[in-house]
Amino acid sequence: MSVTAEIISKTFGSYAALDKVSLHAPAGKLVALLGPSGSGKTTLLRIIAGLEKPDPGSGRILFDGEDVTDVAPGKRGVGFVFQHYALFRHMSVAENIAFGLKARPWRERPSKADIKARVEDLLRLVQLETFGARLPAQLSGGQRQRVALARALAVQPRVLLLDEPFGALDAKVRRDLRRWLRHFHAEAHLTTIFVTHDQEEALEIADEVVVMNQARVEQVGPPREIYDHPATPFVHRFLGNVNQVALPWAGIRPGVSVPTEGGIAFVRPHDIEILLPEGATPGIDDPNATGAPARITDIHAAGPVAKIAAKRDDGLGVLDIELPRPRLAILRLNEGDRIRLRVRPRANP
Amino acid sequence: MFLAGKTEEGDGETFSTQMPPETDIHPSPRTVKIAGRAAAFSTAGALAQSRHVTRDPMWLRVLLTTIALLFLLGFLFVPLAAVFAEALRGGVGMYLAAFSSPDARAAIRLTLLVTAICIPANTAFGIAAAWAVTKHDFRGKSLLLALLDLPFAVSPVVAGLVFVLVFGRHGWLGPANLEILFAPVAPAFGAFVDSCGLRGTFLGPLAEWLAEPSLLPVLFSPPGIVLATIFVSCPFVARELIPLMQAQGADEELAALSLGASGWRTFWHVTLPNIKWALFYGVVLCGARAMGEFGAVSVISGKIRGETNTLPLHVEILFNEYNSVGAFAVASLLALLALVSLALKTFAEWRFKKEAM
């Protein structure tokens, strides 16, 4: 089912959380709402769920073209997963999952046996078969979030809404759950919208990314397009690390296209090449070499990618450069070395 | 990592790599190092400080503990023991005799009745107030919170006097004012009752009363005592619930609503189980206050023996009549009720802590 938000505004007192925001999540897609805190992404998600009302007269929420703006959250057919799980703390895991089914009016309520079977299915789905009798307090963060997912899925929602679902988890658990969600979505094709401030998460699992900033949508598109062709300086800064390079800079040769705005070029750290003068040993300056001269101030080589900071000779700032470890070993660079830098031409498909 | 991610734009270094806010994926090498060092430093500092704090000299700790224990002994334990000792001075027979007089029994009955009305009323009010304050935003919220503390702040005697002022013979709702208030409607109502031929039903006396209102049965009667007691004991439940419900937030309720539960079901199955021990604690405190209230009740009750005398008032009367054994016997009953309350309260606290963990 597709979800559409039309020119939604939301103000809290004098603070505008959403300013005429529109959004379209196509049926069966996994959409990420990405933005810094305070950008309005959670408010938008809660308005889609019906947990928050848009400003009177400001816009509509449509599910498959049907106006649900005034429909109660429980009747919209949404599954909502909260950042801090919001599990019912006095109920067991199984009772938590069964809650939505038991809350139905008796005419639509499945029989006890059906509920039990459904709960067991869901426990299997989230790989918590043996945890049904436990209380939420006895589970780890990752397990709790899986229970929250199972609970939201129990009511067979038409849309799954996740508010920073992995935000409170540690890195490894986050990665596993992210992968799990990707697989689940690939099989179930349930329209899913999730909020995150983690650009890597959004780029890795979403079909479509909506970048938000200061109550507005900055850009919408598939992850790759957003990463390669950021529409605004904000998106450029927010997605991946980027050097803001004051122009003119000799490292950008004519013919190499680099996004610029107002005398500043945006260059990703892994798009900068380190050149050593031909045949020269590190540390010796060669005025004939191409590229812009700089001096290495810092090398951080833990992890698969080495991170190097280099100060421009013209004093107009410090550049961050990333290069693979083997390449660092070949170049034999040291802190204090003089190098030359240039922007690698983009290899766009 | 997270610390490093938080250092965002606006640090003056316009040309360096700028971290996107709240990202912890590729922090620049420099910020990581700085953050790491800062973290190590502050942890070491905190450790040294905590060791220092717990290392008070022995003599100081002994002194403080002794002062606290002596204070408790002198001001709480000795008086409590004295109450029971005095009550039992004439033997168990005399002790029990103090409860057998009709006046004493009436006082016990009235106190229990007032408490039994007060507790549900204040529980309902307390839950409603706490719910309104913690789960919703509305105009006048801070005013409601301030008013909630009024019964704590104001002297109970004043509270009692307020009711005398409102319901007394010359009060705002006294007969003279009521007559003026009902004057426009009373004749019409009387005519209506007559035209329908309903004089014989309960509407007949009501029409008569509206035409010539008498004193409302509040002053010097149990309804007044109930009102005064509700007033002084109303903040307890709400005051217990508000901090807890504030800490719990509204997420669980919202989750229940999004799963299709009705508001009523959400309250019974989600909210109430989460607050039950705090609620119990508040109810116990409210009950203890209701049973022991003296000031407000003494102003409004009129102290009519056998009719409007509560236990605390009865103690005072007996004491003033030099019946010290009787006074202390009844007082010991109040003390006993207080001890039971204390035990219940401790139990609630213990369960509360256990569930919070």
Side-chain angles (χ1 to χ4, degrees), chain A residues 36-37 46 51 73-74 78 80 82 86-91 99-100 102-103 151 155 174 197-200 237-238 241-244 246 298 300 307 309 316-318 320, chain B residues 2 9 13-30 32-33 248 251-252 254-261 265-266 269-270 273-274 357:
Chain A
S37 55
R46 288 167 83 98
L51 301 177
V78 298
F80 199 94
F82 292 79
L87 296 178
F88 308 127
R89 63 196 87 191
H90 60 279
M91 292 183 203
F99 184 89
K102 286 186 185 163
R151 184 179 67 178
V155 292
R174 194 188 315 189
H197 62 252
D198 180 343
Q199 35 111 357
E200 196 179 84
R237 280 200 306 277
F238 194 71
N241 291 341
V242 72
N243 289 297
Q244 299 190 25
D298 210 342
H300 193 77
K307 293 165 185 177
L316 289 177
V318 176
D320 283 350
Chain B
F2 195 65
E9 327 57 323
E13 273 191 328
T14 325
F15 304 113
S16 71
T17 294
Q18 297 215 346
M19 285 301 301
E22 282 192 48
T23 332
D24 52 358
I25 303 307
H26 296 304
S28 81
R30 275 159 303 132
V32 167
K33 275 190 181 169
Q248 287 180 345
D251 272 5
E252 282 184 52
L254 288 177
L257 290 178
S258 81
L259 289 168
R265 191 182 173 88
T266 302
H269 285 84
V270 176
N274 278 346
M357 284 197 311

Coordinates of all heavy atoms in Angstrom, one line a residue, chain A residues 36-37 46 51 73-74 78 80 82 86-91 99-100 102-103 151 155 174 197-200 237-238 241-244 246 298 300 307 309 316-318 320, chain B residues 2 9 13-30 32-33 248 251-252 254-261 265-266 269-270 273-274 357:
Chain A
P36 N 19.1 15.2 10.6 CA 19.6 15.4 12.0 C 18.5 15.5 13.0 O 17.3 15.7 12.6 CB 20.4 16.7 11.9 CG 19.8 17.4 10.7 CD 19.3 16.4 9.8
S37 N 18.8 15.5 14.3 CA 17.7 15.6 15.3 C 17.1 17.0 15.2 O 17.8 18.0 14.9 CB 18.2 15.3 16.7 OG 19.3 16.2 17.0
R46 N 5.1 10.2 13.1 CA 4.0 10.1 14.0 C 2.7 10.6 13.4 O 1.7 10.1 13.8 CB 4.4 10.8 15.3 CG 5.5 10.1 16.1 CD 6.0 11.0 17.2 NE 5.2 11.0 18.4 CZ 5.5 10.2 19.5 NH1 6.5 9.4 19.5 NH2 4.7 10.3 20.5
L51 N -0.4 9.3 15.5 CA -0.1 9.5 16.9 C 0.0 11.0 17.2 O 0.1 11.5 18.3 CB 1.2 8.9 17.3 CG 1.2 7.3 17.1 CD1 2.6 6.8 17.5 CD2 0.1 6.7 18.0
P73 N -5.4 6.1 15.2 CA -4.2 5.4 14.9 C -4.5 3.9 14.8 O -4.0 3.2 14.0 CB -3.3 5.7 16.0 CG -4.0 6.5 17.0 CD -5.2 7.1 16.3
G74 N -5.4 3.4 15.7 CA -5.6 1.9 15.8 C -6.4 1.4 14.6 O -6.5 0.2 14.3
V78 N -1.6 0.5 10.8 CA -0.1 0.7 10.8 C 0.5 -0.1 11.9 O -0.1 -0.3 13.0 CB 0.2 2.2 11.0 CG1 -0.3 3.1 9.9 CG2 -0.3 2.7 12.3
F80 N 3.6 0.3 14.4 CA 4.6 1.4 14.8 C 5.6 0.8 15.8 O 5.2 0.2 16.8 CB 3.8 2.5 15.5 CG 4.6 3.8 15.5 CD1 4.4 4.8 14.5 CD2 5.5 4.1 16.5 CE1 5.2 5.9 14.5 CE2 6.2 5.2 16.5 CZ 6.1 6.2 15.5
F82 N 8.7 1.8 18.3 CA 9.2 3.0 18.9 C 10.7 2.8 19.2 O 11.2 1.7 19.3 CB 8.6 3.2 20.3 CG 7.1 3.6 20.2 CD1 6.2 2.7 20.0 CD2 6.8 4.9 20.4 CE1 4.8 3.0 19.9 CE2 5.4 5.3 20.3 CZ 4.5 4.4 20.0
A86 N 9.0 0.7 23.9 CA 7.7 0.9 24.5 C 7.0 -0.4 24.6 O 5.7 -0.5 24.4 CB 6.8 1.9 23.6
L87 N 7.7 -1.5 25.1 CA 7.0 -2.7 25.4 C 6.2 -2.6 26.6 O 6.6 -1.8 27.5 CB 8.1 -3.8 25.5 CG 8.9 -4.2 24.3 CD1 9.9 -5.2 24.6 CD2 7.9 -4.6 23.2
F88 N 5.1 -3.3 26.8 CA 4.4 -3.3 28.0 C 5.2 -4.0 29.1 O 5.3 -5.3 29.0 CB 3.0 -3.9 27.8 CG 2.3 -3.3 26.6 CD1 1.7 -4.1 25.6 CD2 2.1 -1.9 26.5 CE1 1.1 -3.5 24.5 CE2 1.5 -1.4 25.4 CZ 1.0 -2.2 24.4
R89 N 5.7 -3.3 30.0 CA 6.7 -3.9 30.9 C 6.2 -5.0 31.8 O 7.0 -5.8 32.3 CB 7.4 -2.8 31.7 CG 6.5 -2.0 32.7 CD 7.2 -0.8 33.1 NE 6.9 0.3 32.1 CZ 7.6 1.5 32.1 NH1 8.5 1.7 33.0 NH2 7.2 2.4 31.3
H90 N 4.9 -5.0 32.1 CA 4.4 -6.0 33.1 C 3.9 -7.2 32.3 O 3.4 -8.1 32.9 CB 3.3 -5.4 33.9 CG 2.1 -4.9 33.0 ND1 2.2 -3.7 32.4 CD2 1.0 -5.4 32.7 CE1 1.1 -3.5 31.7 NE2 0.3 -4.6 31.8
M91 N 3.9 -7.2 31.0 CA 3.4 -8.4 30.2 C 4.6 -9.2 29.7 O 5.7 -8.6 29.4 CB 2.6 -7.9 29.0 CG 1.3 -7.2 29.4 SD 0.4 -6.8 27.8 CE -0.6 -5.5 28.4
F99 N -1.1 -8.6 22.2 CA -1.9 -7.5 22.7 C -2.9 -7.0 21.6 O -4.1 -6.8 21.8 CB -1.1 -6.4 23.2 CG -1.8 -5.2 23.8 CD1 -2.2 -5.2 25.1 CD2 -2.2 -4.2 23.0 CE1 -2.9 -4.2 25.7 CE2 -2.9 -3.1 23.5 CZ -3.3 -3.1 24.9
G100 N -2.3 -6.7 20.4 CA -3.1 -6.1 19.4 C -4.2 -7.0 18.9 O -5.3 -6.5 18.5
K102 N -5.7 -9.3 20.8 CA -6.7 -9.4 21.9 C -7.5 -8.2 22.0 O -8.6 -8.2 22.5 CB -6.0 -9.7 23.2 CG -5.5 -11.1 23.3 CD -5.0 -11.4 24.7 CE -4.4 -12.7 24.9 NZ -3.5 -12.8 26.0
A103 N -6.9 -7.0 21.6 CA -7.6 -5.7 21.7 C -8.7 -5.6 20.7 O -9.4 -4.6 20.7 CB -6.6 -4.6 21.6
R151 N 5.4 -7.5 17.7 CA 4.2 -6.9 18.2 C 3.5 -6.1 17.2 O 2.3 -6.1 17.0 CB 4.4 -6.1 19.5 CG 3.2 -5.6 20.1 CD 3.5 -4.8 21.4 NE 4.2 -3.5 21.1 CZ 4.5 -2.6 22.0 NH1 4.2 -2.9 23.3 NH2 5.1 -1.5 21.7
V155 N -0.6 -7.4 14.2 CA -1.9 -6.9 13.7 C -2.0 -6.9 12.2 O -2.9 -6.3 11.6 CB -2.2 -5.5 14.3 CG1 -2.5 -5.7 15.8 CG2 -1.1 -4.5 14.0
R174 N 23.0 -3.6 15.9 CA 22.4 -2.7 14.9 C 22.6 -3.3 13.5 O 21.6 -3.3 12.7 CB 23.0 -1.4 15.0 CG 22.2 -0.3 14.3 CD 23.0 1.0 14.3 NE 23.6 1.3 15.6 CZ 24.1 2.5 15.8 NH1 24.1 3.4 14.9 NH2 24.7 2.8 17.0
H197 N 18.9 8.8 11.9 CA 19.8 9.9 11.7 C 21.2 9.4 11.2 O 22.1 10.1 11.1 CB 20.0 10.7 13.0 CG 20.6 9.9 14.1 ND1 19.9 9.5 15.2 CD2 21.8 9.4 14.3 CE1 20.6 8.8 16.0 NE2 21.8 8.7 15.4
D198 N 21.2 8.1 10.9 CA 22.4 7.4 10.6 C 22.4 7.2 9.0 O 21.7 6.4 8.5 CB 22.4 6.0 11.3 CG 23.7 5.2 11.0 OD1 24.3 5.6 10.0 OD2 23.9 4.3 11.7
Q199 N 23.2 8.0 8.4 CA 23.2 8.0 6.9 C 23.6 6.6 6.3 O 23.1 6.2 5.3 CB 24.1 9.1 6.4 CG 25.4 9.3 7.2 CD 26.6 8.9 6.5 OE1 26.6 8.4 5.4 NE2 27.7 9.1 7.2
E200 N 24.5 5.9 7.0 CA 25.0 4.6 6.5 C 23.8 3.7 6.5 O 23.6 2.9 5.6 CB 26.1 4.1 7.4 CG 26.8 3.0 6.8 CD 28.0 2.5 7.6 OE1 27.7 1.6 8.5 OE2 29.1 2.9 7.4
R237 N 26.9 17.7 2.9 CA 27.5 17.6 4.3 C 27.0 16.4 5.1 O 27.7 15.8 5.8 CB 27.3 18.9 5.0 CG 28.2 20.0 4.7 CD 28.2 21.0 5.8 NE 26.9 21.5 6.2 CZ 26.2 22.4 5.6 NH1 26.8 23.1 4.6 NH2 25.0 22.8 6.0
F238 N 25.7 16.2 4.9 CA 25.1 15.2 5.8 C 25.4 13.8 5.4 O 25.5 12.9 6.2 CB 23.6 15.5 5.9 CG 22.9 14.7 7.0 CD1 23.2 15.2 8.3 CD2 22.1 13.7 6.8 CE1 22.6 14.5 9.4 CE2 21.6 13.0 7.9 CZ 21.8 13.4 9.2
N241 N 31.2 11.8 4.8 CA 32.1 12.9 5.1 C 32.4 13.7 3.8 O 32.4 13.2 2.7 CB 33.4 12.4 5.7 CG 33.2 11.8 7.0 OD1 32.2 12.1 7.7 ND2 34.1 10.9 7.4
V242 N 32.6 15.0 4.0 CA 33.0 15.8 2.8 C 33.9 16.9 3.3 O 33.8 17.4 4.4 CB 31.7 16.3 2.2 CG1 31.1 17.4 3.0 CG2 32.0 16.8 0.8
N243 N 34.9 17.2 2.4 CA 35.8 18.4 2.6 C 35.1 19.6 2.0 O 34.7 19.5 0.8 CB 37.1 18.1 2.0 CG 37.9 17.1 2.7 OD1 38.2 17.3 3.9 ND2 38.2 16.0 2.1
Q244 N 35.1 20.7 2.7 CA 34.6 21.9 2.1 C 35.9 22.7 1.7 O 36.6 23.2 2.6 CB 33.8 22.7 3.0 CG 32.5 21.9 3.4 CD 31.5 22.7 4.2 OE1 31.5 23.9 4.0 NE2 30.7 22.1 5.0
A246 N 38.0 25.6 0.0 CA 37.9 27.0 -0.4 C 38.6 27.1 -1.8 O 39.7 26.5 -2.0 CB 38.6 27.9 0.6
D298 N 48.5 14.3 10.3 CA 47.9 13.3 11.1 C 47.7 12.0 10.3 O 47.1 12.2 9.2 CB 46.6 13.8 11.7 CG 46.4 13.1 13.1 OD1 47.0 12.1 13.4 OD2 45.6 13.7 13.8
H300 N 45.8 8.2 10.7 CA 45.1 7.4 11.6 C 44.8 6.1 10.9 O 44.0 6.0 9.9 CB 43.8 8.1 12.0 CG 43.1 7.4 13.1 ND1 43.4 7.6 14.4 CD2 42.0 6.6 13.1 CE1 42.6 6.9 15.2 NE2 41.7 6.3 14.4
K307 N 43.0 7.1 7.5 CA 42.5 8.4 7.4 C 43.7 9.4 7.6 O 44.4 9.3 8.6 CB 41.4 8.6 8.5 CG 40.2 7.8 8.1 CD 39.2 7.6 9.3 CE 38.1 6.7 8.9 NZ 37.2 6.4 10.0
A309 N 45.0 13.5 7.6 CA 44.7 14.9 7.5 C 45.9 15.6 7.0 O 47.0 15.3 7.4 CB 44.4 15.4 8.9
L316 N 44.7 27.6 3.5 CA 43.3 27.7 3.5 C 42.6 26.4 4.0 O 41.6 26.0 3.4 CB 42.8 28.0 2.1 CG 43.2 29.5 1.6 CD1 42.7 29.7 0.2 CD2 42.5 30.5 2.6
G317 N 43.1 25.8 5.1 CA 42.3 24.7 5.7 C 43.0 23.4 5.6 O 44.1 23.2 5.1
V318 N 42.4 22.4 6.3 CA 42.9 21.1 6.4 C 42.0 20.2 5.6 O 40.8 20.3 5.6 CB 43.0 20.7 7.9 CG1 43.4 19.2 8.0 CG2 43.9 21.6 8.6
D320 N 40.7 16.2 4.7 CA 40.7 14.8 5.2 C 40.7 13.9 4.0 O 40.0 14.1 3.0 CB 39.4 14.5 6.0 CG 39.5 15.1 7.4 OD1 40.7 15.5 7.7 OD2 38.5 15.1 8.1
Chain B
F2 N 30.7 8.0 19.7 CA 29.5 8.8 19.7 C 29.8 10.3 20.0 O 29.3 11.2 19.4 CB 28.5 8.3 20.6 CG 27.1 8.8 20.4 CD1 26.4 8.6 19.3 CD2 26.5 9.6 21.4 CE1 25.2 9.1 19.0 CE2 25.3 10.2 21.2 CZ 24.6 9.9 20.0
E9 N 29.1 21.1 13.2 CA 29.6 22.3 12.5 C 29.7 23.5 13.5 O 29.2 23.5 14.6 CB 28.6 22.8 11.5 CG 27.9 22.2 10.7 CD 26.9 21.3 10.3 OE1 26.7 20.3 11.0 OE2 26.2 21.6 9.4
E13 N 36.5 26.0 12.2 CA 37.4 25.4 11.2 C 36.6 25.1 10.0 O 36.2 24.0 9.7 CB 38.0 24.1 11.8 CG 39.2 24.3 12.5 CD 39.9 23.0 12.8 OE1 39.2 21.9 12.9 OE2 41.1 23.0 12.8
T14 N 36.3 26.1 9.2 CA 35.4 26.0 8.1 C 35.9 25.0 7.0 O 35.1 24.4 6.4 CB 35.1 27.4 7.5 OG1 35.2 28.3 8.5 CG2 33.8 27.4 6.7
F15 N 37.2 24.9 6.9 CA 37.7 24.2 5.8 C 38.0 22.7 6.1 O 38.4 22.0 5.3 CB 38.9 24.9 5.2 CG 38.5 26.3 4.8 CD1 39.1 27.3 5.5 CD2 37.6 26.6 3.8 CE1 38.8 28.6 5.2 CE2 37.2 27.8 3.5 CZ 37.8 28.9 4.2
S16 N 37.9 22.4 7.3 CA 38.2 21.0 7.7 C 37.0 20.2 7.4 O 35.9 20.6 7.1 CB 38.5 20.9 9.2 OG 37.4 21.1 9.9
T17 N 37.2 18.9 7.5 CA 36.0 18.0 7.3 C 35.0 18.3 8.4 O 35.3 18.4 9.5 CB 36.5 16.5 7.5 OG1 37.4 16.2 6.5 CG2 35.3 15.6 7.5
Q18 N 33.8 18.4 8.0 CA 32.8 18.6 9.0 C 31.9 17.4 9.2 O 31.5 16.8 8.2 CB 31.9 19.8 8.5 CG 32.7 21.0 8.3 CD 31.9 22.2 8.7 OE1 30.6 22.2 8.8 NE2 32.5 23.3 8.9
M19 N 31.8 17.0 10.4 CA 31.0 15.8 10.7 C 29.5 16.2 10.6 O 29.1 17.2 11.0 CB 31.3 15.5 12.2 CG 32.6 14.8 12.4 SD 32.7 13.3 11.5 CE 31.4 12.4 12.1
P20 N 28.8 15.3 9.9 CA 27.4 15.5 9.9 C 26.9 15.3 11.4 O 27.5 14.4 12.1 CB 26.8 14.3 9.1 CG 28.0 13.5 8.7 CD 29.2 14.1 9.2
P21 N 25.9 16.0 11.8 CA 25.5 15.9 13.2 C 25.0 14.5 13.5 O 24.4 13.8 12.6 CB 24.3 16.9 13.3 CG 24.4 17.7 12.0 CD 25.2 17.0 11.0
E22 N 25.3 14.0 14.7 CA 24.8 12.7 15.2 C 25.2 11.6 14.3 O 24.4 10.6 14.2 CB 23.3 12.8 15.3 CG 22.9 13.5 16.6 CD 21.4 13.3 16.8 OE1 21.0 12.1 16.8 OE2 20.7 14.3 17.1
T23 N 26.4 11.6 13.7 CA 26.8 10.4 12.9 C 28.0 9.8 13.6 O 28.8 10.6 14.1 CB 27.1 10.8 11.5 OG1 26.4 12.0 11.2 CG2 26.8 9.7 10.5
D24 N 28.1 8.5 13.7 CA 29.3 8.0 14.3 C 29.9 7.0 13.3 O 30.5 6.0 13.7 CB 29.0 7.3 15.6 CG 27.9 6.3 15.5 OD1 27.3 6.2 14.4 OD2 27.5 5.7 16.5
I25 N 29.9 7.3 12.0 CA 30.4 6.3 11.1 C 31.9 6.6 10.8 O 32.7 5.7 11.0 CB 29.5 6.3 9.8 CG1 28.1 6.0 10.2 CG2 30.0 5.3 8.9 CD1 27.9 4.8 11.0
H26 N 32.1 7.7 10.3 CA 33.5 8.0 9.9 C 34.0 9.3 10.6 O 34.2 10.3 10.0 CB 33.7 8.3 8.4 CG 33.3 7.1 7.6 ND1 33.9 5.9 7.8 CD2 32.4 6.9 6.6 CE1 33.4 5.0 6.9 NE2 32.5 5.6 6.2
P27 N 34.2 9.2 11.9 CA 34.6 10.4 12.6 C 36.1 10.7 12.1 O 36.8 9.8 11.8 CB 34.6 10.1 14.0 CG 34.2 8.7 14.1 CD 34.1 8.1 12.8
S28 N 36.4 12.0 12.0 CA 37.7 12.3 11.5 C 38.7 11.9 12.6 O 38.4 11.9 13.8 CB 37.8 13.8 11.2 OG 38.0 14.5 12.4
P29 N 39.9 11.5 12.2 CA 40.9 11.0 13.1 C 41.1 11.9 14.3 O 41.3 11.5 15.4 CB 42.1 10.8 12.3 CG 41.8 11.4 10.9 CD 40.4 11.5 10.8
R30 N 41.2 13.2 14.0 CA 41.6 14.1 15.1 C 40.5 14.1 16.2 O 40.9 14.0 17.4 CB 41.8 15.5 14.6 CG 43.2 15.7 14.0 CD 43.2 16.9 13.1 NE 42.3 16.7 12.0 CZ 41.4 17.6 11.6 NH1 41.3 18.7 12.2 NH2 40.6 17.3 10.6
V32 N 38.4 11.9 17.0 CA 38.4 10.6 17.8 C 39.5 10.6 18.9 O 39.2 10.3 20.0 CB 38.6 9.4 16.9 CG1 38.9 8.2 17.7 CG2 37.4 9.2 16.0
K33 N 40.6 11.1 18.5 CA 41.7 11.1 19.5 C 41.4 12.0 20.7 O 41.5 11.6 21.8 CB 43.0 11.6 18.8 CG 43.7 10.5 18.1 CD 45.1 11.0 17.7 CE 45.8 9.9 16.9 NZ 47.0 10.4 16.3
Q248 N 7.6 7.5 33.1 CA 7.2 6.4 32.1 C 6.9 7.0 30.8 O 7.0 6.3 29.8 CB 6.1 5.6 32.7 CG 6.5 4.8 33.9 CD 5.3 4.0 34.4 OE1 4.2 4.2 34.2 NE2 5.7 3.0 35.3
D251 N 4.7 6.6 25.8 CA 4.9 5.7 24.6 C 4.1 4.4 24.7 O 3.6 3.9 23.7 CB 6.4 5.4 24.6 CG 7.2 6.4 23.7 OD1 6.6 7.4 23.3 OD2 8.4 6.2 23.5
E252 N 4.0 3.8 25.9 CA 3.3 2.5 26.0 C 1.8 2.7 25.6 O 1.2 1.9 25.0 CB 3.5 1.9 27.4 CG 4.8 1.3 27.6 CD 4.9 0.6 28.9 OE1 4.1 -0.2 29.3 OE2 5.9 0.9 29.6
L254 N 0.7 5.1 23.7 CA 0.6 5.3 22.2 C 0.7 4.0 21.5 O 0.0 3.7 20.5 CB 1.7 6.3 21.8 CG 1.4 7.7 22.2 CD1 2.6 8.6 21.8 CD2 0.2 8.2 21.6
A255 N 1.6 3.1 22.0 CA 1.8 1.8 21.3 C 0.5 1.0 21.4 O 0.0 0.4 20.4 CB 2.9 1.0 22.0
A256 N -0.2 1.0 22.5 CA -1.5 0.3 22.7 C -2.5 0.9 21.7 O -3.2 0.2 21.1 CB -1.9 0.4 24.1
L257 N -2.6 2.2 21.6 CA -3.5 2.9 20.7 C -3.3 2.5 19.3 O -4.2 2.2 18.5 CB -3.5 4.4 20.9 CG -4.1 4.9 22.2 CD1 -4.0 6.4 22.2 CD2 -5.5 4.5 22.4
S258 N -2.0 2.5 18.9 CA -1.6 2.1 17.5 C -1.9 0.7 17.2 O -2.1 0.3 16.1 CB -0.2 2.5 17.2 OG 0.7 1.5 17.7
L259 N -2.0 -0.1 18.3 CA -2.3 -1.6 18.0 C -3.8 -1.8 18.0 O -4.3 -2.9 18.0 CB -1.7 -2.4 19.1 CG -0.2 -2.6 19.0 CD1 0.4 -3.2 20.3 CD2 0.2 -3.4 17.8
G260 N -4.6 -0.7 18.1 CA -6.0 -0.8 18.0 C -6.8 -0.9 19.3 O -8.0 -1.1 19.3
A261 N -6.1 -0.7 20.5 CA -6.8 -0.8 21.7 C -7.6 0.5 22.0 O -7.2 1.6 21.6 CB -5.8 -1.0 22.9
R265 N -9.4 0.3 27.4 CA -8.6 -0.9 27.4 C -7.1 -0.5 27.7 O -6.4 -1.2 28.5 CB -8.7 -1.7 26.1 CG -8.1 -3.1 26.2 CD -8.1 -3.8 24.9 NE -7.3 -5.0 25.1 CZ -7.8 -6.2 25.5 NH1 -9.1 -6.2 25.8 NH2 -7.1 -7.2 25.7
T266 N -6.7 0.5 27.1 CA -5.3 1.0 27.3 C -5.1 1.4 28.8 O -4.1 1.0 29.4 CB -5.1 2.3 26.4 OG1 -5.3 1.9 25.1 CG2 -3.6 2.7 26.6
H269 N -5.3 -2.0 30.9 CA -4.3 -3.1 30.6 C -2.9 -2.6 30.6 O -1.9 -3.3 30.7 CB -4.7 -3.8 29.3 CG -5.8 -4.7 29.5 ND1 -7.1 -4.3 29.4 CD2 -5.9 -6.1 29.8 CE1 -7.9 -5.4 29.6 NE2 -7.2 -6.4 29.8
V270 N -2.7 -1.3 30.4 CA -1.4 -0.7 30.2 C -1.0 0.3 31.3 O -0.1 0.1 32.1 CB -1.2 -0.1 28.8 CG1 0.2 0.6 28.7 CG2 -1.4 -1.1 27.7
P273 N -1.7 -1.2 35.4 CA -0.7 -2.1 35.9 C 0.7 -1.4 36.1 O 1.5 -1.8 37.0 CB -0.6 -3.2 34.8 CG -1.8 -3.1 34.1 CD -2.3 -1.7 34.1
N274 N 1.0 -0.4 35.3 CA 2.3 0.2 35.4 C 2.4 1.1 36.7 O 3.5 1.4 37.1 CB 2.6 1.1 34.2 CG 3.1 0.3 33.1 OD1 3.5 -0.9 33.3 ND2 3.1 0.8 31.9
M357 N 13.2 -2.4 39.0 CA 14.5 -3.0 38.6 C 14.5 -3.9 37.4 O 13.6 -4.2 36.8 CB 15.1 -3.7 39.8 CG 15.7 -2.7 40.7 SD 16.9 -3.3 41.9 CE 16.1 -4.7 42.6

